Amino acid sequence: LSPFTSFTNFSQSFHSNNTQQRRAGAMASARRSRSTEREEPSAMEGRKRKALESGRDAPAGKSPRTGGAYIPPFKLAKMMKEVGSDKQSESYQRLAWDALRKSINGLVNKVNKRNLKEILPELIGENLERGKGLFVRSVMKSQVASPAFTSVYAALVAVINTKFPEIGDLLVSRLILQFRRAYKRNDKPICTAACKFIAHLVNQQVEHELLALEILALLLEKPSDDSVELAVGFVKEVGATLLEVSPKGLHSVFEGFRGILHEGAIHKRVQFVIEGLFAVRKTNFEDFPAVPDELDLVEQDDQITHDLSLEDKLDARSGLDIFAVDPKYEETEREYQRVKREILGESSDESESGESDGEEEEEEEEGSSTKKAAVAMCVHTGSFSDYEEIPGVSHFLEHMLFMGSEDFPNENEYDSYLSKNGGMSNAYTDTECTNYYFDVQPKGLRGALMRFAGFFNSPLCKKDAVDREVQAVESEFVQALQNNAARLSQLRCHTATEGHVFRKFSWGNFRSLIEQPTQKGHVPRDLLLKYHKSAYSAERMSLVVLGAEDLATLERWVRELFSAVPCGLGPPVSFSGQGKPYEGGWVYALPMTREGHELHVLFQLPCLHRHYESKPDDYISHLIGHEGEGSLLSVLKQKGLVTHVSAGVAHEGYDRSTIGYMFNVTFVLTEKGLRFGRDGFGVVEYLFAYINLVRAAGPQRWIWDEISAASKMRFKFAAEDEAADYVQELAVNLRLYKTEHALEGDYLHATWDPELVQRTLGLLVPKNMRVEVQSSSFEGRAFEREEPWFRVPYSARRLTDEESEALARFTDAPGLSLPPRNKFLPTDFGIRTQDLAPGERSWLDKASAFGCPTPEALLCPPLLVSSSQDTEAWYKHDRFFRTPKLALLCSFEPDDARSTAERCVLLKLATRVLEDSLVETTYLADVADLSTHVYSNGDRLELRLEGFSHKLPTLLTEVLGGMASLEPDGERFEACRETLRRALKNSIFKPSRHAAYLRLLSLQLESWPLENQLEALEGLTAEKCRDFVRGLLSSSRRQVLIHGNATTEEAKSMVAEARSKFSAGPPRGAVVKRLALLKPGQRFVHSALAQNPQEKNSASEVYFQVGEENDSDYAALSLLEQLVYEPFFDQLRTKEQLGYSVSCGVRNTFGVLGFCFSVVSAKVSPPEIEERVESFLEQFVETVRGMAEEEWRQNVKSAVEAKHQQDQTLGEEAERHWGQLSSGRYEFFQQLEIAERISSTTKEAFLAWFGRHISAKSDERRALRVRVFGRESEGRGEDQGSYSAGDLMNFREEVAALERKTEPAREGEHPKC
């Protein structure tokens, strides 16, 4: 995908920007949360669930942004100048290689009949001798993507072949290999593409006609419907040539067709196709000329014909596609310039001037079909603008806007189109903006953009959709009622100054959107339309379009499709005159619905939008939120008072608006911390002690310099973000920052302003603060007040002047200090290079066998470094992202992690204790963009280090040393145990998570219920944790993966460093996991009550188990997800309004496949949900049965493209390889093999599979229904005739036990370094 981005502010003129793309990113790396079970939902469900189940549509905070590696040609030329004039250097040659690749791709992709003669000189102007592999790869991919242009590509190759015959030989060799592989796999689309290209190369006399006859003989040897149909198409393409040069051969082919007709063994449709071919022959292929006149460019005497056979031993020479340093670079270049001048007949001066012209063109990036196009429209108006008569109208309009437009009145047209084209959409409402966005496969961009534009040109906001969408908003509201963050946010609104816009109820619900307006004599839809007319105007909109097309095309589309957007309202409304929302010096207390205690200290700052280049709030948050030695967190942890501290200004509208910034310091308290002063208020004293220390020290330039350096390197080497996330963030940034800073604004720390820092620090005083304490221990407390919308009870008290003055002067907090200098900031950003290892070559050859647009350098799996009795090490040198970063993953798996509930929970506790003991080291590394994640994953403790390769080995040494010398502190150990206890209880607090937990508990025969784990947790000690962690180094099975910017020797050095900390362990044998395998026809129901007594929502999971993992069932399940996700959501959520959270997807539970439908509803009970699911499935199968063939193939194609979606970052690629290693599958091409299965799946085969595994009529169907009843839900009784899995032991006796064995990697079975 060539990421040209059109930035458009809808004001008086368009503003376009095609500067180098960077993904803006969050300043701090978010800790990865890992499920304790290794169940693998599909990538598609993950993306769609993110889009459709984000609670309230608005994200809790601005999502982290990462990003972009696209380098426009003019920037590339500048970089080549910067690396110097040494053309023998690796840096110069790599940049030249990138320029060559982009130029060849661009020229090949834009060639057509009209411009072919103009493109040829430009193409020959590139170094085709050096780039022959790139050219062949590019033309093959373009032909697969655009088969209608095959004759053009063949003509192009025919001319190139006369000057560079080795290119023609390489192309035909790869096409033959591609055909052989595709034929063996029964991959009809790839076979068709390869045959068509070979046919036209035979027509152009690039290849001998005997190859065509060999292919036809093979296809007709054992005729099937597909092979005969393929042969007919092939003959149509090449028949005219064979009639001229080999009439006897063509005659024998038609005799073969005649025999097939007489036998009558093939389908009647295919027989008609053969009869049609005979009719074509009678006309001597008049409608199928061998070479059209305009493509006949090669004189007979210049023809060079290759004579390759299907039986030849051929070499794809994949290494030609990979960059390698040329020790004779300049000599080779001079020689090619001489050859080029001879071919083109030009002087040396003309040649040089022609080169410079080529650098100004903007080409399409390689692998375009695997990346997404995306669009975002940010309307800079939000809930601050809500009418008093209809609170929540902005959020309501966000929902209604999608309900059709004048050009596309069907409500489901937009979502249906996106689903068929591999896309998704979402939107969210904030205080001063409403953001609408989608992503889609590049081919579907214009169609999606047309539908999207209608929502802003002429939305219908249909009358009959009002009730349904109000119910959707109501469902979101009900779902948020027990969300602690939402409850606190609404309390802040309720307690804001009277008349302030903060006091508005922005969520919206049935009462605010229907009942209240109606009672006052208003028609809700009329108010909605009036609000739309008064708030939505082109001047208040920012549009971002990311697509494969060139910038001019994208801008033309935008002007064409969005010119009808109403305008005239003027710029966005500013609320800067509102004043502060809160009166300072107040303390609020409220209960938490989950287990836990939090204390928030909020300081009100003026709006700092215009100071984005200096960001004084970042300087202060860096210090207060620091986790290193001497930090506020470190001191409070040593006292056992808190487990976490965060500080800063969030990216939500309430925290960052034209009104002002809200600087929030949040403490997660322990039980002891809650008792430290009145409701934990003693912790606030330590906060002011640290603020006073920072204020007394004054602004420190060296601290600012570290922040600035870290931000610059994050931006410079930012990884690529998902397209949808990227565009929606940019759409917001276009209004916040100058146009030239739209990409880097969030990272920018360009101006050191110590006076502004000091002034901002001066606002962090008691009289300007607001304190909030949330605790689950307040549940029984009598509160005198209540917030009216969420019904949140609370108390409020005002600080006395004496309390405020004492806080302002507090300094008695020994141990606090400014942070130490950061030793992890890297200075070496060089890219490591090395030749291809033999093992890499074998992987590349295997990767090239798949008809996948993803580059082989990305598909290529890691190599086995070593495999001993206790440690298995893997390594991959990054040749794709070419970033100075490295990912290291390491796992430790003890033998008896699940033998008892104590061992199970000990792994989880030891993980927390270890992470806590390392935090003062790992936080410094995190600031330098070196992340450390320690987590328990099923039976394993896993360690993940990721970031700049320069300092990662140093971090590895310190982390492993910390494991070896672990001595848990008493207070901090108790805090870790308390945190884990709380986390275990909260893990099933939401009904949806409770349902998923019950399903996994049923399916994993060695799992332990939470109540057993909680009981065992109380008996654990610091000594047991210490011994457990040390035991991992001495007596566990270990796996290591090193992936990224490291040479083989550097990787082996890191492996040696790791092994030096390990002791010899037991021999690695097979790991056995016992899983529940339902017997054919079994149906179970597992029922439970929601954990929260106030929970109104119920949840239901309808799970169909298919069986042990295999590619065939995986392909069918993936296709089911593609077909069912959008209509399931549309029917049960949009039309029937069962609830806000409606989803479905593939489940892979430790190697057992299934499919799960999940619904959370406050409207109907779980049994009723299940009835609706079954009813939907009955309708769904009829819909598929009546689906047109073209629509079926489109869905198949989208499912295949989902499997071909390439990794966006080095970390994603490492995670993909790690999934295969840690599961013991070692099937590195699994997704591609599944994609091949999908592409060959017929509708009839799918329906037969569905009828066996999913249909209610099947005697073989294996179903597990999990019901979590809300406390107000009716119909809690069990179905008659169903089996309750409430008694877990009885359930486990009823089902079969499947033992999944995973063997360790053995040397000799996998390619080595």
Side-chain angles (χ1 to χ4, degrees):
L1 183 66
S2 177
F4 296 102
T5 303
S6 174
F7 306 123
T8 307
N9 281 320
F10 280 92
S11 52
Q12 294 181 350
S13 62
F14 288 94
H15 301 283
S16 298
N17 186 336
N18 64 340
T19 55
Q20 181 178 2
Q21 290 198 26
R22 304 285 186 184
R23 306 310 197 233
M27 289 301 300
S29 299
R31 301 279 179 186
R32 290 196 176 203
S33 60
R34 290 285 186 137
S35 167
T36 56
E37 312 294 351
R38 187 184 291 280
E39 180 174 67
E40 303 171 10
S42 67
M44 179 189 294
E45 188 188 4
R47 291 194 301 274
K48 292 185 176 178
R49 183 179 291 169
K50 176 182 175 183
L52 301 174
E53 297 186 274
S54 51
R56 186 187 182 189
D57 291 336
K62 224 175 187 181
S63 60
R65 300 185 235 172
T66 54
Y70 171 66
I71 305 175
F74 77 90
K75 186 71 174 178
L76 189 61
K78 181 180 177 183
M79 291 171 65
M80 291 182 71
K81 291 178 182 177
E82 289 174 353
V83 300
S85 58
D86 182 11
K87 295 185 179 181
Q88 294 301 115
S89 70
E90 185 272 339
S91 299
Y92 183 94
Q93 290 188 28
R94 182 178 291 281
L95 287 172
W97 175 267
D98 285 342
L100 177 64
R101 173 174 56 83
K102 293 174 186 293
S103 185
I104 289 174
N105 286 340
L107 291 168
V108 169
N109 285 330
K110 69 182 182 183
V111 70
N112 55 50
K113 288 183 180 180
R114 292 190 301 275
N115 67 8
L116 177 57
K117 293 180 181 179
E118 288 73 35
I119 291 292
L120 274 165
E122 293 184 53
L123 193 55
I124 293 172
E126 304 298 333
N127 192 332
L128 290 180
E129 181 60 38
R130 183 185 306 281
K132 54 175 150 308
L134 297 176
F135 172 75
V136 169
R137 173 193 176 97
S138 181
V139 79
M140 286 180 67
K141 288 192 173 183
S142 297
Q143 187 267 338
V144 170
S146 304
F149 284 77
T150 303
S151 59
V152 179
Y153 295 131
L156 177 69
V157 171
V159 177
I160 298 296
N161 182 62
T162 64
K163 309 303 179 184
F164 304 96
E166 64 273 24
I167 290 180
D169 181 82
L170 178 63
L171 174 61
V172 176
S173 296
R174 290 190 179 181
L175 283 170
I176 291 173
L177 290 170
Q178 185 185 61
F179 171 77
R180 292 196 314 215
R181 286 189 294 263
Y183 182 81
K184 184 178 180 181
R185 292 190 174 94
N186 196 28
D187 188 340
K188 186 178 178 182
I190 298 300
C191 272
T192 303
C195 284
K196 187 164 188 169
F197 208 166
I198 290 171
H200 283 274
L201 291 176
V202 170
N203 292 343
Q204 289 281 359
Q205 298 182 44
V206 174
E207 171 58 27
H208 198 280
E209 65 272 11
L210 285 177
L211 177 61
L213 294 172
E214 284 183 324
I215 290 175
L216 287 168
L218 176 66
L219 294 174
L220 299 179
E221 181 182 10
K222 296 179 180 179
S224 66
D225 289 349
D226 283 342
S227 70
V228 172
E229 197 169 0
L230 187 59
V232 169
F234 186 61
V235 170
K236 286 180 180 179
E237 302 289 351
V238 78
T241 297
L242 293 179
L243 184 63
E244 179 181 352
V245 300
S246 183
K248 290 184 178 179
L250 184 62
H251 176 74
S252 66
V253 169
F254 273 89
E255 286 301 306
F257 281 126
R258 199 182 306 278
I260 292 170
L261 280 176
H262 288 320
E263 290 174 6
I266 58 173
H267 195 277
K268 283 192 176 293
R269 179 183 61 82
V270 182
Q271 293 180 34
F272 289 139
V273 170
I274 296 176
E275 291 170 359
L277 180 62
F278 276 93
V280 170
R281 185 194 184 190
K282 285 182 180 179
T283 66
N284 291 328
F285 298 92
E286 182 180 358
D287 295 330
F288 298 91
V291 180
D293 291 342
E294 64 270 28
L295 298 179
D296 190 4
L297 305 178
V298 180
E299 297 292 336
Q300 188 67 35
D301 293 342
D302 294 332
Q303 293 282 7
I304 296 177
T305 302
H306 303 280
D307 189 7
L308 299 177
S309 168
L310 281 181
E311 304 300 325
D312 288 347
K313 186 175 182 181
L314 302 172
D315 184 2
R317 288 176 281 176
S318 301
L320 293 174
D321 303 352
I322 307 297
F323 169 74
V325 176
D326 182 359
K328 297 181 179 180
Y329 180 84
E330 292 185 83
E331 180 182 335
T332 306
E333 284 294 308
R334 283 195 298 270
E335 176 60 21
Y336 187 79
Q337 292 302 319
R338 184 190 64 77
V339 171
K340 182 184 77 170
R341 287 194 294 271
E342 288 181 2
I343 295 172
L344 300 179
E346 61 183 19
S347 68
S348 59
D349 292 340
E350 291 171 337
S351 175
E352 289 169 6
S353 66
E355 284 178 12
S356 63
D357 290 340
E359 289 180 351
E360 293 301 318
E361 298 208 15
E362 304 196 64
E363 265 80 47
E364 182 174 298
E365 277 280 80
E366 187 172 358
S368 63
S369 62
T370 60
K371 292 188 178 182
K372 291 287 190 74
V375 175
M377 174 74 88
C378 184
V379 184
H380 296 276
T381 189
S383 58
F384 280 170
S385 301
D386 282 358
Y387 290 165
E388 295 294 337
E389 299 91 335
I390 183 167
V393 67
S394 294
H395 186 203
F396 183 31
L397 177 58
E398 173 219 310
H399 279 251
M400 288 293 294
L401 204 73
F402 286 115
M403 295 296 105
S405 64
E406 289 182 5
D407 290 335
F408 297 95
N410 186 344
E411 290 178 18
N412 200 40
E413 171 64 30
Y414 174 61
D415 287 335
S416 178
Y417 180 87
L418 290 177
S419 178
K420 290 174 184 175
N421 288 276
M424 70 88 194
S425 70
N426 200 10
Y428 65 83
T429 304
D430 214 327
T431 56
E432 293 180 293
C433 74
T434 308
N435 208 339
Y436 304 84
Y437 55 96
F438 70 84
D439 70 21
V440 70
Q441 291 293 342
K443 60 182 172 51
L445 175 58
R446 180 169 172 81
L449 201 59
M450 291 168 62
R451 291 157 175 79
F452 187 69
F455 299 142
F456 305 97
N457 294 331
S458 53
L460 295 180
C461 297
K462 292 182 178 180
K463 186 175 181 179
D464 59 359
V466 168
D467 289 342
R468 282 188 278 110
E469 290 310 307
V470 166
Q471 286 300 323
V473 174
E474 173 73 12
S475 294
E476 287 184 63
F477 173 72
V478 171
Q479 188 165 300
L481 286 174
Q482 302 302 313
N483 182 287
N484 288 304
R487 289 158 63 91
L488 177 60
S489 176
Q490 186 55 37
L491 178 64
R492 288 177 178 174
C493 292
H494 175 65
T495 53
T497 305
E498 191 70 40
H500 200 283
V501 293
F502 264 52
R503 283 187 70 94
K504 292 186 176 183
F505 175 60
S506 61
W507 285 86
N509 63 8
F510 184 81
R511 181 156 64 101
S512 75
L513 298 173
I514 299 296
E515 288 182 352
Q516 287 188 358
T518 303
Q519 289 169 2
K520 294 177 181 179
H522 299 293
V523 177
R525 182 171 178 268
D526 291 347
L527 288 176
L528 176 80
L529 296 175
K530 179 182 176 183
Y531 174 75
H532 175 264
K533 189 174 182 180
S534 68
Y536 276 46
S537 182
E539 303 93 325
R540 302 179 181 184
M541 298 179 182
S542 297
L543 178 71
V544 177
V545 177
L546 174 65
E549 294 72 16
D550 60 76
L551 186 62
T553 300
L554 293 177
E555 185 167 336
R556 186 176 71 253
W557 289 356
V558 167
R559 291 181 181 276
E560 174 190 339
L561 298 174
F562 291 88
S563 60
V565 174
C567 61
L569 295 181
V573 176
S574 172
F575 296 89
S576 57
Q578 283 277 313
K580 292 181 180 180
Y582 307 117
E583 184 181 354
W586 282 83
V587 181
Y588 298 88
L590 65 157
M592 284 188 84
T593 54
R594 293 188 178 194
E595 290 277 335
H597 324 288
E598 291 183 2
L599 186 146
H600 305 268
V601 183
L602 199 68
F603 296 98
Q604 302 174 88
L605 308 179
C607 177
L608 298 173
H609 282 348
R610 62 190 179 95
H611 298 295
Y612 71 84
E613 294 186 58
S614 56
K615 295 185 175 67
D617 54 308
D618 276 6
Y619 177 91
I620 299 169
S621 66
H622 173 78
L623 295 175
I624 296 178
H626 209 280
E627 299 180 16
E629 184 181 356
S631 66
L632 179 61
L633 175 64
S634 179
V635 171
L636 292 174
K637 269 190 170 183
Q638 291 297 334
K639 294 181 174 294
L641 301 176
V642 307
T643 60
H644 179 72
V645 174
S646 62
V649 180
H651 282 264
E652 281 190 310
Y654 285 110
D655 297 285
R656 192 180 293 251
S657 68
T658 55
I659 295 171
Y661 279 25
M662 302 296 139
F663 190 95
N664 192 4
V665 185
T666 297
F667 300 90
V668 178
L669 304 176
T670 62
E671 297 285 351
K672 182 179 179 181
L674 185 65
R675 298 191 299 270
F676 187 59
R678 181 176 177 181
D679 292 341
F681 200 78
V683 171
V684 182
E685 295 177 342
Y686 274 77
L687 169 62
F688 274 95
Y690 196 79
I691 291 172
N692 290 332
L693 182 152
V694 172
R695 190 182 288 123
Q700 302 290 308
R701 180 60 188 258
W702 71 268
I703 295 176
W704 171 261
D705 287 342
E706 283 195 354
I707 297 171
S708 179
S711 297
K712 286 177 181 177
M713 70 183 188
R714 276 198 182 94
F715 176 65
K716 184 175 182 179
F717 299 106
E720 188 172 351
D721 196 5
E722 289 187 10
D725 291 340
Y726 181 39
V727 294
Q728 62 105 348
E729 296 290 353
L730 281 180
V732 175
N733 285 359
L734 283 170
R735 189 65 65 177
L736 293 178
Y737 306 131
K738 298 175 185 176
T739 304
E740 61 267 28
H741 293 152
L743 300 174
E744 64 175 331
D746 284 353
Y747 289 99
L748 205 57
H749 291 78
T751 306
W752 168 234
D753 192 341
E755 292 183 3
L756 181 59
V757 170
Q758 197 68 24
R759 288 202 307 273
T760 307
L761 273 169
L763 296 172
L764 272 58
V765 295
K767 291 189 177 181
N768 189 40
M769 78 171 182
R770 168 192 176 99
V771 179
E772 300 142 347
V773 187
Q774 288 180 288
S775 173
S776 52
S777 66
F778 293 168
E779 191 59 43
R781 181 181 292 189
F783 291 99
E784 66 274 14
R785 309 185 189 191
E786 184 180 79
E787 187 279 326
W789 292 101
F790 277 66
R791 309 296 295 271
V792 178
Y794 71 97
S795 64
R797 69 180 181 91
R798 188 166 189 169
L799 292 176
T800 64
D801 291 342
E802 292 76 15
E803 286 177 306
S804 295
E805 290 171 7
L807 275 178
R809 296 192 305 268
F810 193 85
T811 58
D812 185 19
L816 292 175
S817 64
L818 294 179
R821 293 183 183 270
N822 197 334
K823 62 184 177 182
F824 290 105
L825 283 171
T827 56
D828 178 6
F829 301 104
I831 304 298
R832 306 289 190 266
T833 60
Q834 64 183 21
D835 293 335
L836 284 172
E840 274 185 287
R841 292 186 184 278
S842 66
W843 277 136
L844 283 170
D845 288 341
K846 188 169 183 181
S848 66
F850 295 94
C852 173
T854 304
E856 283 86 353
L858 187 59
L859 294 176
C860 188
L863 301 174
L864 185 63
V865 176
S866 63
S867 182
S868 64
Q869 64 176 5
D870 52 27
T871 305
E872 176 184 312
W874 297 78
Y875 157 70
K876 180 179 177 182
H877 176 69
D878 171 46
R879 299 184 186 277
F880 181 78
F881 294 103
R882 296 194 292 275
T883 180
K885 293 190 175 183
L886 194 64
L888 184 146
L889 297 96
C890 184
S891 68
F892 305 85
E893 185 171 13
D895 284 325
D896 55 352
R898 288 186 179 271
S899 58
T900 65
E902 180 182 276
R903 293 292 290 178
C904 179
V905 78
L906 179 57
L907 173 61
K908 298 173 183 177
L909 180 59
T911 300
R912 290 178 180 265
V913 170
L914 176 60
E915 186 173 35
D916 179 73
S917 71
L918 295 171
V919 70
E920 292 182 3
T921 296
T922 58
Y923 182 80
L924 286 174
D926 194 62
V927 171
D929 210 19
L930 266 174
S931 60
T932 307
H933 305 297
V934 184
Y935 45 87
S936 59
N937 200 345
D939 303 342
R940 310 149 65 93
L941 184 146
E942 294 194 359
L943 170 67
R944 180 188 180 119
L945 308 181
E946 185 178 354
F948 290 103
S949 53
H950 180 207
K951 296 290 186 176
L952 192 139
T954 304
L955 178 60
L956 174 64
T957 299
E958 298 216 10
V959 168
L960 292 177
M963 290 180 69
S965 60
L966 179 67
E967 286 290 350
D969 171 82
E971 292 281 7
R972 293 176 75 155
F973 171 78
E974 289 301 328
C976 289
R977 174 161 44 194
E978 181 184 328
T979 303
L980 178 58
R981 182 189 304 118
R982 194 179 298 160
L984 291 174
K985 291 180 179 179
N986 289 338
S987 66
I988 59 172
F989 189 79
K990 284 187 175 182
S992 57
R993 294 193 177 189
H994 193 176
Y997 156 76
L998 292 174
R999 173 172 50 80
L1000 287 168
L1001 184 67
S1002 301
L1003 296 178
Q1004 297 176 83
L1005 300 181
E1006 298 167 319
S1007 58
W1008 291 92
L1010 283 177
E1011 51 265 34
N1012 297 113
Q1013 295 184 48
L1014 286 166
E1015 182 181 354
L1017 178 62
E1018 302 310 314
L1020 298 181
T1021 63
E1023 291 72 24
K1024 284 186 177 181
C1025 275
R1026 177 199 63 201
D1027 295 343
F1028 181 83
V1029 171
R1030 292 183 180 179
L1032 294 176
L1033 295 174
S1034 61
S1035 58
S1036 65
R1037 302 177 185 86
R1038 275 102 46 180
Q1039 279 184 311
V1040 179
L1041 170 63
I1042 298 170
H1043 174 41
N1045 188 43
T1047 64
T1048 303
E1049 294 308 313
E1050 288 171 331
K1052 288 181 176 179
S1053 175
M1054 280 184 273
V1055 171
E1057 171 65 23
R1059 295 191 66 174
S1060 70
K1061 300 291 192 295
F1062 303 158
S1063 304
R1068 284 179 57 81
V1071 176
V1072 180
K1073 288 181 169 46
R1074 297 182 70 249
L1075 301 159
L1077 191 63
L1078 278 62
K1079 299 171 185 176
Q1082 281 188 319
R1083 182 167 68 98
F1084 297 95
V1085 177
H1086 196 154
S1087 301
L1089 287 176
Q1091 294 292 295
N1092 181 9
Q1094 281 76 47
E1095 183 61 67
K1096 293 184 177 181
N1097 291 290
S1098 296
S1100 178
E1101 282 202 355
V1102 180
Y1103 170 79
F1104 301 110
Q1105 192 177 76
V1106 174
E1108 194 169 359
E1109 182 178 0
N1110 64 85
D1111 288 352
S1112 180
D1113 283 331
Y1114 222 142
L1117 286 164
S1118 301
L1119 192 49
L1120 172 61
E1121 183 173 38
Q1122 166 64 31
L1123 291 163
V1124 81
Y1125 196 102
E1126 189 278 330
F1128 181 66
F1129 180 86
D1130 179 60
Q1131 180 64 34
L1132 271 69
R1133 182 188 185 273
T1134 305
K1135 291 186 171 68
E1136 298 186 20
Q1137 288 294 319
L1138 293 194
Y1140 183 71
S1141 178
V1142 175
S1143 65
C1144 61
V1146 181
R1147 294 291 181 269
N1148 183 356
T1149 310
F1150 288 102
V1152 174
L1153 298 177
F1155 199 90
C1156 188
F1157 295 88
S1158 177
V1159 178
V1160 177
S1161 176
K1163 184 178 177 181
V1164 299
S1165 67
E1168 291 177 88
I1169 293 172
E1170 292 159 13
E1171 289 177 10
R1172 303 288 183 90
V1173 170
E1174 293 288 5
S1175 176
F1176 166 80
L1177 289 175
E1178 287 181 14
Q1179 298 171 13
F1180 167 75
V1181 74
E1182 294 305 318
T1183 300
V1184 174
R1185 190 169 282 118
M1187 187 177 290
E1189 184 64 23
E1190 182 180 353
E1191 185 179 357
W1192 170 262
R1193 296 312 306 172
Q1194 179 61 50
N1195 277 290
V1196 168
K1197 186 176 181 182
S1198 293
V1200 169
E1201 287 172 344
K1203 296 298 180 188
H1204 286 172
Q1205 196 73 28
Q1206 73 180 42
D1207 305 308
Q1208 302 296 308
T1209 66
L1210 179 77
E1212 284 186 17
E1213 185 190 353
E1215 190 72 38
R1216 173 167 56 84
H1217 297 316
W1218 185 246
Q1220 292 295 329
L1221 297 174
S1222 59
S1223 66
R1225 288 194 292 255
Y1226 306 107
E1227 297 173 7
F1228 297 106
F1229 298 109
Q1230 183 185 34
Q1231 291 300 302
L1232 302 183
E1233 289 165 351
I1234 292 171
E1236 289 191 338
R1237 292 270 189 165
I1238 295 172
S1239 66
S1240 61
T1241 302
T1242 64
K1243 184 170 69 172
E1244 291 72 20
F1246 173 79
L1247 288 170
W1249 177 90
F1250 184 93
R1252 185 165 61 256
H1253 294 290
I1254 309 296
S1255 173
K1257 299 175 182 177
S1258 172
D1259 294 334
E1260 298 180 36
R1261 184 170 81 161
R1262 296 176 279 191
L1264 172 62
R1265 303 181 181 196
V1266 181
R1267 302 168 176 173
V1268 176
F1269 290 87
R1271 296 303 172 118
E1272 298 179 7
S1273 180
E1274 298 179 357
R1276 300 183 191 176
E1278 304 282 339
D1279 279 351
Q1280 294 299 316
S1282 67
Y1283 180 87
S1284 172
D1287 183 341
L1288 194 60
M1289 299 309 295
N1290 286 347
F1291 168 80
R1292 291 176 174 178
E1293 290 177 2
E1294 289 279 337
V1295 299
L1298 172 67
E1299 293 192 346
R1300 286 276 296 179
K1301 291 185 179 181
T1302 54
E1303 299 282 351
R1306 307 294 184 190
E1307 294 199 14
E1309 295 177 358
H1310 302 276
K1312 288 195 65 176
C1313 291

